[in-house]
């Protein structure tokens, strides 16, 4: 799920969730974080029907569950059970806003942005601009992995599935391989 500007075009496979005008930007961002959590993903995989696997995935890896494709309808999402305290969770709000900010920062250093900056600056060192953008992208993604992991634990806490983490337990950045679902043998 993502925020889209009012003038964005969406196709029929991108459901749109319209929120009431009384929903604040912070509440909308917290809802975005909740909908992008592992709990919401698990719920959606239980409720929505599988649409098959990508043919290129099948030829490379067989019928692995992670290759399954789903299409989530906005009507079905109305049944998504929201925890009673999601609107008041400052931690959910902060982590969700952090993820949105990091996504915007990553968007700002896409190759097209780097080329535009290079052409305006008159600099001869495109290689250095690209190298710098690659390092920034890597740093931002590591922060995003940590923020998503922290958000998932907060959401587990909101649903009563795990104790609510303390503010001091949040990581600033992690490698993708440090996320539990990436562990092949059950340990980091």
């Amino acid at each position: 799920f993502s925020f889209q500007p009012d003038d964005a075009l969406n196709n029929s496979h991108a459901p749109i969730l319209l929120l009431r005008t009384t929903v604040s930007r912070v509440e909308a961002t917290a809802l975005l974080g909740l909908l992008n959590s592992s709990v919401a993903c698990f719920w959606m995989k239980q409720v929505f029907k599988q649409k098959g696997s990508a043919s290129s995935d099948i030829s490379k890896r067989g019928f692995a569950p992670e290759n399954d494709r789903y299409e989530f309808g906005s009507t079905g999402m109305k049944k998504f059970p929201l925890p009673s305290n999601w609107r008041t969770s400052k931690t959910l709000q902060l982590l969700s806003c952090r993820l949105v900010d990091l996504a915007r920062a990553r968007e700002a250093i896409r190759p097209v942005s780097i080329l535009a900056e290079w052409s305006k600056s008159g600099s001869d060192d495109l290689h250095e601009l690209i190298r710098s953008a690659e390092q920034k992208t890597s740093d931002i993604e590591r922060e995003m992995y940590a923020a998503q992991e922290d958000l998932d634990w907060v959401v587990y806490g909101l649903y009563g599935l795990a104790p609510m983490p303390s503010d001091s337990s949040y990581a600033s950045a992690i490698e993708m391989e440090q996320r539990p679902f990436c562990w092949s043998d059950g340990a980091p």
Side-chain angles (χ1 to χ4, degrees):
F1 293 91
S2 67
F3 282 125
Q4 293 295 317
D6 292 337
D7 60 351
L9 295 175
N10 293 299
N11 69 22
S12 62
H13 299 283
I16 298 172
L17 304 177
L18 297 175
L19 304 176
R20 293 186 179 108
T21 56
T22 57
V23 175
S24 72
R25 185 71 171 182
V26 172
E27 284 179 322
T29 305
L31 180 60
L32 179 68
L34 190 60
L35 291 173
N36 282 312
S37 71
S38 60
V39 170
C41 181
F42 178 80
W43 180 86
M44 288 182 276
K45 286 179 137 188
Q46 304 310 304
V47 171
F48 294 96
K49 300 286 186 241
Q50 177 187 343
K51 299 294 182 184
S53 293
S55 59
S56 63
D57 291 342
I58 292 170
S59 63
K60 291 178 189 170
R61 299 194 32 169
F63 291 98
E66 61 269 19
N67 295 338
D68 293 344
R69 300 296 179 252
Y70 293 82
E71 191 167 309
F72 305 120
S74 53
T75 302
M77 287 305 299
K78 289 180 180 180
K79 298 175 187 169
F80 180 69
L82 295 169
S84 60
N85 53 349
W86 76 271
R87 289 179 192 259
T88 58
S89 173
K90 296 295 181 199
T91 310
L92 176 64
Q93 294 170 1
L94 291 171
L95 287 168
S96 299
C97 288
R98 178 75 179 136
L99 281 162
V100 168
D101 290 345
L102 288 166
R104 287 184 180 139
R106 188 177 63 177
E107 183 72 17
I109 53 175
R110 289 180 47 223
V112 68
S113 302
I114 299 305
L115 288 173
E117 178 186 334
W118 173 70
S119 65
K120 288 179 187 175
S121 70
S123 170
D124 291 331
D125 201 356
L126 179 59
H127 182 267
E128 178 55 32
L129 286 173
I130 292 172
R131 191 200 61 72
S132 176
E134 285 174 340
Q135 182 59 50
K136 287 177 188 174
T137 299
S138 177
D139 293 344
I140 289 169
E141 287 176 350
R142 289 175 56 243
E143 289 182 52
M144 290 177 87
Y145 301 148
Q148 183 65 50
E149 190 67 26
D150 292 340
L151 182 130
D152 283 341
W153 283 105
V154 167
V155 172
Y156 298 149
L158 291 174
Y159 281 101
L161 300 171
M164 204 55 151
S166 66
D167 289 344
S168 62
S169 66
Y170 299 128
S172 59
I174 61 173
E175 298 294 333
M176 175 63 127
E177 297 78 25
Q178 292 175 286
R179 297 204 61 200
F181 69 87
C182 293
W183 303 343
S184 61
D185 61 357

